[in-house]
Amino acid sequence: MSKIDHIEIPIDKIILLDKNPRTVSEEEFQKLCDDIKNDPAFLIQRPPLINKVSGKYYCYAGTQRIKACKSLNYKKIKCFVEENVSSKVQDERMLKDNLHRG
């Protein structure tokens, strides 16, 4: 396992992947924005997951959180960053991140 850093990244440097399986309604998205606005520490507890490849930051889990932060005009966001995460591991984590299990 490679080193995982918990770092703040400029939000405009994060690339969202097209293959994210999660979609939310406008109502659910607004609730997420409200949750983040009312409790910013939520993002520290459950930060987006980022794969750093060749100096670029690719979000593979937490896309809706990043979109919500953009909507709230955040300039930076704390993320878990790991380098060169395999597609298989990204897919597994993305799926787990979108499951609601206890």
Side-chain angles (χ1 to χ4, degrees), residues 67-84:
K67 287 180 178 180
C69 288
K70 283 183 178 183
S71 176
L72 293 168
N73 296 314
Y74 277 45
K75 301 299 180 215
K76 296 180 180 180
I77 184 172
K78 280 236 179 190
C79 301
F80 282 138
V81 178
E82 193 173 6
E83 291 193 31
N84 301 309

Side-chain angles (χ1 to χ4, degrees), residues 1-7 9-10 13-17 19-20 47-63 66 78-94:
M1 179 191 270
S2 64
K3 181 180 173 217
I4 300 172
D5 293 314
H6 189 222
I7 63 171
I9 301 171
K13 299 283 185 193
I14 299 172
I15 300 163
L16 303 178
L17 299 180
K19 69 185 209 174
N20 188 291
L49 304 181
I50 303 291
N51 184 20
K52 185 177 180 184
V53 179
S54 301
K56 295 186 179 181
Y57 299 100
Y58 297 92
C59 175
Y60 63 90
T63 298
I66 290 176
K78 280 236 179 190
C79 301
F80 282 138
V81 178
E82 193 173 6
E83 291 193 31
N84 301 309
V85 180
S86 73
S87 292
K88 180 182 178 195
V89 170
Q90 286 182 69
D91 290 346
E92 289 171 357
R93 290 177 182 169
M94 186 185 316

Side-chain angles (χ1 to χ4, degrees), residues 12-42:
D12 62 348
K13 299 283 185 193
I14 299 172
I15 300 163
L16 303 178
L17 299 180
D18 292 333
K19 69 185 209 174
N20 188 291
R22 175 133 242 189
T23 58
V24 296
S25 69
E26 185 59 39
E27 181 181 349
E28 290 171 323
F29 182 75
Q30 188 55 54
K31 286 180 182 178
L32 176 60
C33 288
D34 291 344
D35 287 344
I36 292 169
K37 186 177 179 181
N38 295 328
D39 182 12
F42 168 73

